[in-house]
């Protein structure tokens, strides 16, 4: 099953994001084919990263939650909120 994960950073936490970014990028790269897409959410002017969005394949929410807990951003306490929603990929090209 696919899930969209939306994470919003705590206010004034840009330093936490920058300090943990290399480890976070290694973490998500290690997910391999389970990570379908992802990237930072940006401020309205596009100048600052304010969160993260991922589309991840997992058996269920429990598996996804266990994986997300290992994210260096999560371990560093970067996120103010995390939202997880099941997702059905239709456009532009469905994966299955």
């Amino acid at each position: 099953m696919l899930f969209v994960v939306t994470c919003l950073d705590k206010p004034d936490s840009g330093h936490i994001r920058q300090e943990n970014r290399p480890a976070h990028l290694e973490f998500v790269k290690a997910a391999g084919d389970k990570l379908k897409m992802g990237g930072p959410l940006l401020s309205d002017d596009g100048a600052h990263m304010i969160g993260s969005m991922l589309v991840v394949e997992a058996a269920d929410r429990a598996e996804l939650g266990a994986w997300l807990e290992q994210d260096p951003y999560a371990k560093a306490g970067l996120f103010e909120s995390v939202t997880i929603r099941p997702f059905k990929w239709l456009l532009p090209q469905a994966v299955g």
Side-chain angles (χ1 to χ4, degrees):
M1 173 176 269
L2 293 175
F3 294 91
V4 173
V5 181
T6 307
C7 308
L8 296 178
D9 297 354
K10 292 177 182 173
D12 302 315
S13 60
H15 64 286
I16 297 172
R17 176 173 282 276
Q18 290 307 315
E19 291 165 3
N20 292 279
R21 187 170 166 79
H24 165 76
L25 292 175
E26 288 302 315
F27 171 77
V28 293
K29 286 178 187 176
D33 291 343
K34 289 188 174 249
L35 179 63
K36 302 305 181 188
M37 69 178 301
L41 297 172
L42 303 176
S43 58
D44 288 338
D45 63 5
H48 305 284
M49 290 181 265
I50 61 165
S52 300
M53 190 282 301
L54 304 169
V55 177
V56 183
E57 185 174 16
D60 52 35
R61 281 181 187 256
E63 178 184 294
L64 177 61
W67 181 74
L68 290 171
E69 287 175 0
Q70 300 307 308
D71 184 342
Y73 281 167
K75 288 182 171 186
L78 174 62
F79 301 129
E80 179 175 59
S81 66
V82 176
T83 303
I84 300 170
R85 297 277 185 254
F87 176 69
K88 184 174 181 179
W89 191 345
L90 292 178
L91 300 171
Q93 182 178 4
V95 294

